């Protein structure tokens, strides 16, 4: 995922952002509607749906692993394998989170 995000950044593209009340299907459709982004995704063997779902899952898991919500009953259940993977690759996790940040001025 890191090479893909870096390719998107190097192409000066900004993928559609998921907002709190926006259905994932809308974000996927908006991603599909960007031809330049589609070309990069296809070059990395990824569909718009896979891209949106992967980043959403990654970011949610990384965030909740670092700072679990106070009300755990309302929180989604995290996949233990994903949590373990993120925790065992902290440097890569931080690099990906950094590169996903649209306000980051340079890539690591």
């Amino acid at each position: 995922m890191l090479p893909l995000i870096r390719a998107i950044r190097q192409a000066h593209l900004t993928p559609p952002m998921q907002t709190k009340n926006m259905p994932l299907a809308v974000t996927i459709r908006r991603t599909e509607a960007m031809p330049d982004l589609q070309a990069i995704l296809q070059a990395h063997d990824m569909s718009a749906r896979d891209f949106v779902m992967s980043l959403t899952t990654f970011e949610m898991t990384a965030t909740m692993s670092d700072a679990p919500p106070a009300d755990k009953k309302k929180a989604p259940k995290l996949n233990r394998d994903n949590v373990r993977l993120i925790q065992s690759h902290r440097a890569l996790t931080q690099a990906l989170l950094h590169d996903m940040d649209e306000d980051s001025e340079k890539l690591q």
Side-chain angles (χ1 to χ4, degrees):
M1 188 60 79
L2 193 53
L4 171 59
I5 293 299
R6 289 183 174 175
I8 292 168
R9 293 283 303 272
Q10 289 169 350
H12 304 288
L13 296 173
T14 302
M17 301 301 293
Q18 179 71 28
T19 63
K20 185 176 181 179
N21 296 318
M22 182 186 299
L24 286 169
V26 172
T27 305
I28 293 166
R29 282 195 302 271
R30 290 175 61 207
T31 301
E32 290 170 336
M34 295 180 69
D36 293 340
L37 179 56
Q38 282 301 301
I40 294 171
L41 293 177
Q42 289 173 357
H44 287 84
D45 295 321
M46 187 164 282
S47 69
R49 183 185 189 288
D50 292 341
F51 175 70
V52 170
M53 296 305 293
S54 295
L55 288 184
T56 301
T57 302
F58 167 75
E59 196 165 17
M60 181 180 70
T61 302
T63 300
M64 289 183 59
S65 294
D66 289 340
D71 186 356
K72 293 185 181 191
K73 291 179 184 176
K74 292 184 180 180
K77 185 176 179 179
L78 299 178
N79 179 298
R80 288 181 297 202
D81 292 334
N82 290 346
V83 172
R84 222 172 297 134
L85 182 66
I86 286 171
Q87 290 175 343
S88 64
H89 297 285
R90 281 293 186 200
L92 288 172
T93 296
Q94 290 308 311
L96 183 54
L97 288 169
H98 174 270
D99 288 1
M100 287 170 54
D101 181 1
E102 66 185 42
D103 295 327
S104 297
E105 291 187 20
K106 63 178 184 172
L107 299 176
Q108 291 183 359

